């Protein structure tokens, strides 16, 4: 029941120890005082004792009667307060124990023995030697008793203090502590002020604790509300994030992905990537051209901007071609950690559409080779890159007839055939273009006429092959007239170049009957009209 | 406990002392004797043949209170008390030692057992004292001055 480390025991122990110390320190003082007191007592006792025999001593001295003197002295020595005594007059001397007393160095009390009938006359002297041993013994006994009683008193005080502190302080504190134990923070529960403690420190403590509990409850309520709000918001955000159509990741600088949404997982699945926590720095493993991505991003980040671009993902499956619009922005947390937020919008379908559109724009839907639009783009590109090339403008002979006789389908077939031949016979770096109607253009990687001739003759042989329509036994043969102009040798102006090639081709067309082997004519610079040469000089 | 014993002792001692004091002093209050009465002053007388002519008070005290039984010349001295005349006796002792008769009696009864001293010899009436003085040369007695005869010699007077 009693906690030996408790306040009560501590307090009582201190009290007892303090009392003991007081007793210890005052014991000597007490002893001194008692000793003094005992000496005084003894002295006064001796005086009293002497008074009892004074009459006898006086009479004995007057009568010079030794028996009486003995009686008086023996009477004195009988007391244990007196060690020795002597009476001395002219006629009588009697002593008991005096030598012993003198040996002990005891000083006597001296009493004058007066004449019994003439008080002014002194007859003898009585010396009384106090028994100091006895007195000291007494003093010691008394002070020991005193000390013992003080010790006992201290212990009693301690015990009483313990009981009082237990009932007044500790028990209520224990009760308060117990009820504090049972209290769940954040609830309406409070501690009751112990009885009779309404105005005590314990009462104050309890009230303070209750106030604290009030605050705690308040705080709890607030926290709870806040938590609910946060949870609500978090749920919403999560929903937003998870259901976002854009693949979004939050990743660390080293590429470790902290957060990802379903769209991202779908995206990686789509390109047959394994589910990983880490796709390298800035998701490089996902892209077909990681260096390009990284370069663009780091450059943008260095400028402290967000980066955006369209990139193709590296696909591990055959048919999935995935293009994304990547939006990357660096984020810096409050504690200075670098994160990146990357959003990947799947733009494959749009890209596909665009491609299709581009194809439609640049290629001839019938033959699959470049159309004029694509060709012009190509020429512009070559020119801008400073390539040297030969432009061969081809016009089919006999095509119109096929068209007129056999119809458009047959004409289409012829066109397809020619385009195939062109594709087939030209070299890897050459390009074939359907310039429109039955006109074709070849862009040849050649600077001299000879190599042009080589290629064109090959092409010519292919085109000249007779071929049969499905339901026709008659072979159909088409020939071609070709005009060639060199870039930049002939002219640096593209329009002029085409024009010159056109003029040369026209020349060849004129000769097609008279000189069929001269189907290939190289353009001359001189063939330019004055106006054209003026233009040309402006260009140059 | 020694405590208790001590106090008991103290108490007993004190009570003895107190009773003593009462005894010694308390009786002094009963002084009704005066030398100034019709019988006149008291004188101390001896046999007229006695060679001692004068005595002093101290010698008288020593004689009547039992210290010596001799005169200053070494001859034996016998002090005489009067038995019947208590007043005279009381007056004499009052003059001599300043004590009432009771105290004087107490003194003697104290010495009866332990002391060697002898109290004065008692003669009952004044006539007996006179007779004794005539017959006994060692006798010393006290009488009223008015009772002094030719056979007596006054050796001391109380002034």
């Amino acid at each position: 029941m009693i906690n030996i480390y408790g306040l009560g025991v501590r307090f009582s122990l201190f009290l007892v120890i303090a009392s003991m110390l007081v007793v210890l320190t005052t014991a000597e003082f007490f002893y001194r005082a008692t000793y003094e007191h005992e000496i005084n007592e003894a002295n006064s006792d001796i005086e009293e004792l002497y008074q009892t025999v004074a009459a006898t001593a006086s009479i004995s001295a007057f009568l010079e009667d030794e028996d009486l003197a003995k009686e008086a002295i023996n009477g004195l020595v009988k007391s244990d307060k007196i060690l020795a005594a002597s009476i001395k007059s002219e006629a009588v001397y009697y002593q008991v124990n005096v030598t012993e007393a003198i040996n002990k160095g005891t000083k006597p009390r001296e009493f004058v023995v007066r004449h019994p009938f003439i008080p002014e006359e002194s007859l003898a002297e009585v010396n009384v030697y106090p028994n100091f041993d006895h007195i000291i013994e007494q003093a010691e006994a008394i002070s020991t008793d005193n000390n013992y009683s003080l010790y006992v008193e201290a212990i009693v005080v301690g015990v009483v203090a313990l009981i009082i502190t237990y009932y007044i302080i500790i028990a209520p504190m224990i009760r308060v502590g117990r009820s504090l134990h049972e209290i769940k923070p954040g609830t309406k529960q409070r501690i009751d002020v112990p009885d009779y403690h309404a105005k005590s420190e314990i009462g104050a403590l309890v009230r303070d604790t209750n106030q604290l509990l009030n605050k705690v409850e308040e705080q709890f309520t607030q926290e709870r509300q806040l938590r609910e709000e946060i949870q609500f918001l978090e749920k919403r955000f999560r929903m937003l994030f998870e259901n976002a159509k854009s693949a979004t990741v939050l990743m660390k600088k080293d590429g470790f992905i902290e957060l990802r949404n379903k769209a991202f997982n779908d995206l990686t699945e789509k390109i047959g990537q394994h589910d990983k926590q880490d796709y390298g720095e800035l998701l490089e493993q996902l892209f077909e051209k990681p260096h390009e991505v990284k370069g663009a991003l780091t450059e943008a980040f260095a400028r402290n901007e967000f980066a955006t671009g369209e990139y193709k993902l590296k696909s591990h499956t055959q048919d999935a071609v995935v293009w994304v619009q990547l939006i990357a922005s660096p984020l810096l947390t409050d504690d200075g950690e670098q994160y990146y937020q990357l959003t990947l919008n799947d733009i494959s379908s749009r890209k596909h559409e665009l491609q299709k559109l581009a194809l439609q724009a640049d290629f001839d839907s019938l033959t699959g080779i470049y159309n004029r639009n694509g060709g012009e783009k190509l020429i512009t590109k070559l020119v801008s890159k400073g390539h040297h090339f030969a432009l061969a403008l081809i016009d089919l002979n006999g095509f119109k007839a096929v068209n007129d006789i056999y119809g458009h389908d047959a004409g289409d077939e012829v066109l397809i055939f020619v385009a195939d031949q062109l594709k087939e016979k030209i070299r890897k770096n050459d390009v074939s273009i359907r310039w429109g109607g039955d006109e074709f253009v070849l862009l040849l990687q050649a600077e001299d006429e000879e190599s042009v001739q080589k290629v064109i003759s090959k092409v010519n042989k292919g085109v000249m092959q007779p071929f049969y329509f499905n339901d026709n036994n008659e072979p159909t043969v088409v020939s071609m007239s070709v005009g060639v102009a060199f870039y930049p040798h002939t002219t640096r102006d593209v329009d002029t170049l085409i024009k010159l090639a056109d003029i040369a081709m026209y020349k060849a067309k004129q000769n097609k009957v008279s000189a069929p082997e001269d189907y290939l004519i190289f353009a001359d610079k001189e063939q330019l009209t004055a106006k054209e040469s003026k233009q040309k000089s402006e260009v140059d | 406990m020694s405590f208790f014993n001590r106090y008991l002792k103290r108490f007993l001692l004190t009570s003895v002392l107190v009773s003593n004091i009462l005894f010694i002093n308390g009786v002094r209050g009963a002084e009704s004797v005066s030398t100034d009465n019709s019988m006149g002053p008291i004188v101390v007388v001896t046999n007229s043949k006695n060679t001692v002519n004068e005595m002093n008070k101290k010698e008288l005290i020593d004689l009547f209170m039992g210290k010596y039984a001799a005169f200053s010349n070494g001859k034996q001295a016998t002090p005489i008390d009067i038995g019947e005349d208590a007043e005279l006796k009381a007056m004499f002792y009052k003059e001599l030692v300043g004590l009432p008769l009771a105290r004087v009696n107490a003194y003697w009864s104290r010495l009866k057992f332990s002391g060697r001293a002898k109290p004065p010899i008692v003669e009952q009436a004044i006539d007996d004292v006179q007779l004794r003085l005539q017959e006994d040369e060692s006798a010393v007695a006290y009488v009223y001055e008015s009772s002094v005869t030719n056979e007596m010699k006054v050796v001391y007077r109380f002034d």
Side-chain angles (χ1 to χ4, degrees):
Chain A
M1 158 200 147
I2 284 189
N3 171 14
I4 55 163
Y5 299 105
L7 286 179
V9 170
R10 231 182 266 183
F11 175 62
S12 317
L13 213 58
F14 276 130
L15 212 61
V16 170
I17 287 169
S19 323
M20 294 285 179
L21 279 175
V22 168
V23 174
L24 273 177
T25 47
T26 53
E28 181 60 21
F29 164 78
F30 265 117
Y31 174 73
R32 285 271 135 233
T34 314
Y35 179 77
E36 291 293 318
H37 175 76
E38 281 302 301
I39 295 276
N40 291 341
E41 281 277 279
N43 278 334
S44 67
D45 284 354
I46 283 165
E47 210 145 322
E48 285 165 13
L49 284 167
Y50 173 72
Q51 291 308 334
T52 59
V53 300
T56 312
S58 161
I59 292 164
S60 77
F62 166 66
L63 294 177
E64 293 169 3
D65 185 330
E66 199 156 337
D67 291 341
L68 277 179
K70 277 183 189 173
E71 195 179 307
I73 294 303
N74 289 338
L76 280 175
V77 178
K78 249 183 219 151
S79 160
D80 47 20
K81 290 190 176 63
I82 292 166
L83 175 65
S86 66
I87 184 161
K88 192 166 85 186
S89 71
E90 287 168 20
V92 178
Y93 177 73
Y94 179 72
Q95 61 89 15
V96 173
N97 268 350
V98 167
T99 27
E100 191 189 336
I102 287 171
N103 287 342
K104 282 193 176 170
T106 316
K107 287 213 159 51
R109 288 284 314 270
E110 291 168 4
F111 295 99
V112 174
V113 182
R114 303 211 165 270
H115 194 292
F117 309 112
I118 312 164
E120 53 275 13
E121 210 174 301
S122 56
L123 294 178
E125 196 180 77
V126 168
N127 281 351
V128 179
Y129 296 84
N131 184 356
F132 279 109
D133 288 350
H134 173 77
I135 292 162
I136 288 166
E137 216 171 277
Q138 283 285 95
E140 276 172 355
I142 288 164
S143 41
T144 310
D145 283 347
N146 276 346
N147 289 349
Y148 278 139
S149 54
L150 279 173
Y151 282 129
V152 168
E153 216 171 316
I155 286 163
V156 167
V157 164
V159 169
V160 169
L162 177 60
I163 290 164
I164 289 170
T165 48
Y166 181 80
Y167 281 107
I168 286 183
I169 301 166
I170 298 162
M173 271 171 63
I174 288 172
R175 281 202 296 279
V176 168
R178 241 182 243 136
S179 44
L180 197 54
H181 256 290
E182 287 159 9
I183 279 175
K184 279 206 190 77
T187 59
K188 285 258 178 281
Q189 290 174 298
R190 296 290 178 270
I191 310 167
D192 296 330
V193 178
D195 299 338
Y196 316 114
H197 277 284
K199 285 178 182 169
S200 79
E201 288 83 348
I202 289 178
L205 189 67
V206 168
R207 275 193 296 276
D208 287 348
T209 310
N210 282 340
Q211 266 181 340
L212 188 69
L213 286 170
N214 289 347
K215 279 185 193 142
V216 167
E217 191 190 353
E218 223 172 280
Q219 203 110 41
F220 262 77
T221 315
Q222 281 178 355
E223 290 279 336
R224 208 176 290 129
Q225 279 172 346
L226 206 61
R227 206 170 39 232
E228 278 165 8
E229 272 171 46
I230 287 171
Q231 274 172 347
F232 178 80
L233 270 176
E234 205 242 11
K235 245 187 218 159
R236 291 286 179 283
F237 274 121
R238 189 165 284 282
M239 203 168 75
L240 203 63
F241 178 73
E242 279 300 335
N243 297 323
K245 288 286 168 269
S246 312
T248 308
V249 295
L250 180 72
M251 67 181 213
K252 280 187 171 165
K253 210 175 166 160
D254 60 5
F256 183 86
I257 296 172
E258 292 267 338
L259 270 180
R260 52 167 72 195
N261 63 358
K262 191 172 171 294
F264 180 79
N265 290 339
D266 292 348
L267 192 65
T268 52
E269 201 179 314
K270 191 172 169 184
I271 57 164
Q273 266 278 16
H274 295 293
D275 212 2
K276 285 204 290 187
Q277 268 307 64
D278 192 342
Y279 295 104
E281 203 183 334
L282 296 168
L283 304 177
E284 58 186 331
Q285 294 167 17
L286 293 180
F287 294 99
E288 198 147 66
K289 295 174 180 165
H291 290 296
E292 205 179 303
V293 177
K294 271 168 77 174
L297 261 54
T298 44
E299 199 187 318
F301 293 164
R303 285 201 309 274
N304 235 335
E305 292 170 357
F306 71 92
T308 173
E310 295 183 358
Y311 302 101
K312 194 177 173 197
L313 295 186
K314 187 163 45 175
S315 183
H316 295 255
T317 57
Q318 280 300 325
D319 51 344
V321 177
V322 182
W323 280 82
V324 293
Q325 182 204 30
L326 174 70
I327 301 167
S329 48
L331 302 171
L332 206 61
T333 59
D334 295 340
D335 36 18
E337 260 200 290
Q338 178 76 61
Y339 282 92
Y340 296 118
Q341 183 193 336
L342 288 104
T343 307
L344 297 93
N345 288 311
D346 191 343
I347 53 168
S348 310
S349 51
R350 191 159 57 91
K351 198 84 184 170
H352 192 64
E353 289 292 314
L354 280 172
Q355 259 177 336
K356 256 173 55 186
L357 282 173
L359 278 174
Q360 279 172 358
D362 292 344
F363 290 87
D364 177 47
S365 55
L366 178 70
T367 57
I369 59 171
Y370 283 102
N371 60 16
R372 189 179 188 144
N373 185 38
E376 280 173 349
K377 272 192 203 162
L378 214 53
I379 291 161
T380 313
K381 200 165 143 187
L382 288 171
V383 167
S384 72
K385 286 195 173 172
H387 282 291
H388 294 187
F389 61 92
L391 187 140
L393 189 62
I394 300 169
D395 192 82
L396 297 181
N397 304 314
F399 171 75
K400 235 173 112 51
V402 174
N403 232 5
D404 293 342
I405 297 164
Y406 302 108
H408 282 290
D409 288 347
D412 285 353
E413 231 171 299
V414 170
L415 288 173
I416 289 167
F417 166 75
V418 171
D420 284 347
Q421 288 307 312
L422 292 180
K423 267 196 282 189
E424 215 171 286
K425 299 299 186 287
I426 56 174
R427 293 159 308 172
K428 202 176 96 184
N429 290 334
D430 301 334
V431 183
S432 53
I433 304 160
R434 185 182 171 203
W435 204 247
D438 57 346
E439 271 191 353
F440 290 89
V441 167
L442 290 175
L443 298 175
L444 305 172
Q445 203 174 16
E447 301 223 41
D448 57 316
E449 295 182 0
E450 200 180 325
S451 50
V452 173
Q453 260 172 332
K454 249 189 200 168
V455 179
I456 297 292
S457 70
K458 253 172 128 189
V459 172
N460 191 43
K461 274 185 189 128
V463 172
M464 294 280 281
Q465 292 174 86
F467 74 95
Y468 302 87
F469 295 121
N470 323 334
D471 50 357
N472 207 328
N473 299 334
E474 286 280 320
T476 304
V477 178
V478 284
S479 68
M480 57 187 204
S481 302
V482 186
V484 178
F486 287 100
Y487 178 89
H489 184 68
T490 313
T491 176
R492 281 183 172 278
D493 183 61
V494 175
D495 289 341
T496 311
L497 189 78
I498 294 164
K499 194 106 191 153
L500 287 175
D502 195 47
I503 292 166
M505 186 270 291
Y506 195 69
K507 259 190 196 165
K509 217 172 176 68
Q510 286 176 323
N511 304 342
K512 73 171 191 264
V513 182
S514 55
E517 63 279 2
D518 277 346
Y519 69 95
L520 167 62
I521 303 283
F522 287 99
D524 280 333
K525 294 179 195 176
E526 294 82 47
Q527 288 174 327
L528 286 167
T529 60
K531 183 184 165 192
E532 280 158 356
S533 65
K534 207 170 105 181
Q535 280 177 335
K536 179 178 167 282
S537 66
E538 275 174 10
V539 169
D540 289 345
Chain B
M1 292 224 22
S2 60
F3 246 57
F4 195 69
N5 286 340
R6 282 179 69 260
Y7 284 112
L8 192 65
K9 272 188 198 162
R10 289 283 306 270
F11 172 74
L12 289 174
L13 269 173
T14 317
S15 56
V16 168
L17 183 76
V18 168
S19 59
N20 257 324
I21 288 166
L22 275 180
F23 178 64
I24 290 163
N25 300 332
V27 193
R28 284 207 170 170
E31 286 177 33
S32 55
V33 184
S34 83
T35 53
D36 192 28
N37 61 30
S38 54
M39 308 310 268
I42 297 167
V43 290
V44 178
V45 291
T46 56
N47 186 309
S48 55
K49 293 186 193 87
N50 200 318
T51 51
V52 174
N53 292 324
E54 219 179 312
M55 291 180 79
N56 62 25
K57 196 176 184 179
K58 198 164 184 304
E59 285 171 342
L60 285 174
I61 291 171
D62 288 347
L63 190 64
F64 275 90
M65 298 316 282
K67 184 173 178 176
Y68 300 126
F71 291 107
S72 51
N73 57 13
K75 290 218 168 110
Q76 191 196 341
T78 308
I80 306 296
D81 259 335
I82 188 152
E84 285 175 358
D85 196 343
E87 202 175 323
L88 173 61
K89 191 179 179 179
M91 267 177 65
F92 171 70
Y93 282 104
K94 179 80 188 120
E95 292 285 352
L96 184 70
V97 292
L99 294 176
L101 216 44
R103 285 290 311 276
V104 176
N105 290 339
Y107 171 77
W108 283 116
S109 60
R110 162 97 187 68
L111 290 175
K112 203 178 281 177
F113 307 103
S114 55
R116 290 169 291 105
K118 293 279 179 291
I121 284 162
V122 180
E123 294 298 343
Q124 287 305 325
I126 186 70
D127 299 345
D128 302 327
V129 175
Q130 284 174 344
L131 200 60
R132 181 76 187 224
L133 279 168
Q134 281 173 26
E135 287 170 2
D136 186 350
E137 270 186 43
S138 68
V140 180
Y142 49 87
V143 291
Y144 293 117
E145 202 170 355
S146 54
S147 319
V148 173
T149 61
N150 292 335
E151 282 83 31
M152 302 177 197
K153 185 201 279 189
V154 176
V155 291
Y156 185 83
R157 6 177 116 248
F158 293 99
D159 304 315

